[in-house]
Amino acid sequence: MRASALAIFLIGLPATAFAGGGFDLVVPGRPGVPIIINNIDASYAVVEGVWGLGKNVQVQPTIYGGVYVPERQPSDVGHYYPSLGLQPGYGRLEVEPPANRKLPKPAESYHQSWGASSAPLPPQMDVPVNPPPVILAPEINDYPRPPRPRPRTGMPGRPPG
């Protein structure tokens, strides 16, 4: 009984090790939103060699049935790159006003300042009318100190004392 269970386990073990090396059919999560892999629209195509995040090896996938999508300009994605020489796709329109236009009235003056300081000290407390008596307790030394050893003379490196 144990031998047959062990044999079934050992036969099924290599099959599960190679289970992730097949192909995948790519289905987009939302209609109209393409799945782009290396400038190829892989929507409803067969992709072979994608292992995902489960392995520590990156493979160049092979896409069967995908459509090549030409490289898009960066301005199409909502960013403005002045080095391309293109106008931005959206944003405010900058218009330089004429020099002889009527100027608006000047703004009123405005001044504001901030400061920091410590919290005020509490008022001094007066001595109570009937202060508690101060009791001086005598020092009681329950553990007398051991006598200090006398310095030795005649030891090398020590001056005689």
Side-chain angles (χ1 to χ4, degrees), residues 74-76 79-82 84-94:
S75 62
D76 293 345
H79 302 287
Y80 174 56
Y81 297 98
L84 294 177
L86 303 174
Q87 291 283 17
Y90 61 92
R92 66 182 190 193
L93 179 62
E94 295 288 337

Side-chain angles (χ1 to χ4, degrees), residues 47-82:
V47 178
E48 182 182 52
V50 176
W51 288 347
L53 299 175
K55 305 276 185 182
N56 288 333
V57 179
Q58 291 186 354
V59 202
Q60 184 66 27
T62 306
I63 302 169
Y64 299 103
V67 178
Y68 178 74
V69 178
E71 188 79 28
R72 297 190 303 173
Q73 291 291 329
S75 62
D76 293 345
V77 296
H79 302 287
Y80 174 56
Y81 297 98

Side-chain angles (χ1 to χ4, degrees), residues 80-147:
Y80 174 56
Y81 297 98
S83 61
L84 294 177
L86 303 174
Q87 291 283 17
Y90 61 92
R92 66 182 190 193
L93 179 62
E94 295 288 337
V95 177
E96 292 294 328
N100 58 357
R101 72 181 193 281
K102 180 182 173 189
L103 295 176
K105 65 178 184 174
E108 62 185 52
S109 65
Y110 177 78
H111 176 74
Q112 189 171 5
S113 65
W114 291 267
S117 64
S118 301
L121 294 173
Q124 293 289 336
M125 295 190 60
D126 295 331
V127 177
V129 178
N130 233 350
V134 178
I135 301 172
L136 291 176
E139 284 190 30
I140 300 173
N141 193 358
D142 290 339
Y143 304 103
R145 288 189 199 164

Side-chain angles (χ1 to χ4, degrees), residues 25-47 62-72:
L25 179 64
V26 179
V27 179
R30 295 176 63 187
V33 179
I35 306 296
I36 307 292
I37 302 173
N38 296 337
N39 289 343
I40 296 176
D41 182 8
S43 301
Y44 304 105
V46 175
V47 178
T62 306
I63 302 169
Y64 299 103
V67 178
Y68 178 74
V69 178
E71 188 79 28
R72 297 190 303 173

